[in-house]
Amino acid sequence: EVQLVQSGAEVKKPGESLKMSCKASGYMFPNYWIGWVRQMPGKGLEWMGIIYPGDSDTRYSPSFQGHVTISADRSISTAYLHWSSLQASDTAMFYCVRSRVPNFPDAFDLWGQGTLVTVSS
Amino acid sequence: DIQMTQSPSTLSASVGDRVTITCRASQTIRTWLAWYQQKPGKAPKLLINKISTLEGGVPSRFSGSGSGTEFTLTINSLQPDDFATYYCQQYSSMWTFGQGTKVEIK
């Protein structure tokens, strides 16, 4: 089955680090762009960034550049989203997403189930 | 950055209505426009790509149109399952979502 399975919910304190994962299965992981989308409570969707696992080409939204790091491990078909220092404003649901066309940055046809992050002192 | 502006933010409609959601891009995005549906507590679902191409399994009452910077999502004969929030997205230059349109029961 073609799917993205994300790691579980997290509760963190401000200043802590976090690395969440997104495990892909059922398709050729290196060949599809895979990215992350944030949804703050009661708000809309925001594209954060994306990586092409085939060559690790990574692009970030200006709104998130420098605040998060996206990476991928082709050997285990897994993408990651990492914060070195969380803020309360990072409280949100995060979705990993896959571009629908191989080797091309396209619309997102595959979504993970979401990982809820709560940052509170 | 390309900005996407959706209207209206909220739309009240009844089962059987025809509804239209508009999305405007801050610059031309050619054909790189998608629409998503999101229900409460669920991940979004891709409905339409490249302005008007329906994803597999999407009912034909959904349709997309437009060009350049102005686009529309139309739902003909609204069904109970269609009450949700809809987002447009450009993928011409990076990716940007519109702010969403909630379709609620009138």
Side-chain angles (χ1 to χ4, degrees):
Chain A
E1 181 185 359
V2 178
Q3 62 180 349
L4 299 173
V5 178
Q6 299 182 229
S7 48
E10 302 273 2
V11 179
K12 293 287 190 179
K13 289 180 167 50
E16 292 185 332
S17 64
L18 172 63
K19 190 173 189 177
M20 66 172 62
S21 65
C22 173
K23 168 78 172 173
S25 59
Y27 72 94
M28 292 294 291
F29 180 73
N31 295 356
Y32 290 77
W33 289 85
I34 187 164
W36 295 91
V37 172
R38 183 177 80 173
Q39 188 166 39
M40 299 178 76
K43 302 298 183 182
L45 306 173
E46 300 172 272
W47 173 70
M48 301 176 70
I50 201 162
I51 187 167
Y52 186 72
D55 62 6
S56 296
D57 183 7
T58 309
R59 303 172 190 186
Y60 294 94
S61 162
S63 299
F64 293 92
Q65 177 87 46
H67 189 55
V68 297
T69 302
I70 293 171
S71 60
D73 185 337
R74 290 198 303 267
S75 69
I76 54 172
S77 299
T78 300
Y80 300 96
L81 180 63
H82 175 251
W83 292 259
S84 59
S85 181
L86 287 160
Q87 304 169 4
S89 58
D90 292 317
T91 295
M93 180 71 81
F94 296 88
Y95 294 101
C96 68
V97 294
R98 187 194 77 166
S99 180
R100 58 180 289 275
V101 176
N103 310 310
F104 187 79
D106 206 273
F108 303 143
D109 70 332
L110 190 61
W111 292 66
Q113 83 276 19
T115 295
L116 181 63
V117 174
T118 303
V119 183
S120 174
S121 54
Chain B
D1 295 10
I2 298 177
Q3 308 302 317
M4 304 298 289
T5 304
Q6 271 183 252
S7 60
S9 298
T10 306
L11 189 162
S12 298
S14 302
V15 172
D17 285 352
R18 180 172 185 261
V19 302
T20 300
I21 299 168
T22 299
C23 183
R24 179 180 291 112
S26 59
Q27 63 191 73
T28 184
I29 57 172
R30 296 172 289 165
T31 63
W32 310 117
L33 189 283
W35 290 96
Y36 297 82
Q37 176 193 66
Q38 186 180 30
K39 296 181 179 178
K42 300 293 186 182
K45 172 187 173 183
L46 178 63
L47 296 177
I48 291 172
N49 70 83
K50 289 187 71 176
I51 300 178
S52 60
T53 303
L54 264 60
E55 288 291 292
V58 175
S60 59
R61 63 181 179 271
F62 290 91
S63 63
S65 63
S67 64
T69 62
E70 296 273 342
F71 305 92
T72 59
L73 172 69
T74 300
I75 311 172
N76 283 301
S77 188
L78 197 67
Q79 297 301 300
D81 192 49
D82 301 336
F83 292 98
T85 300
Y86 294 85
Y87 296 91
C88 64
Q89 179 203 43
Q90 69 81 20
Y91 48 103
S92 172
S93 174
M94 301 289 202
W95 291 259
T96 314
F97 290 95
Q99 76 271 29
T101 296
K102 182 177 181 181
V103 177
E104 61 181 24
I105 300 173
K106 192 172 186 179

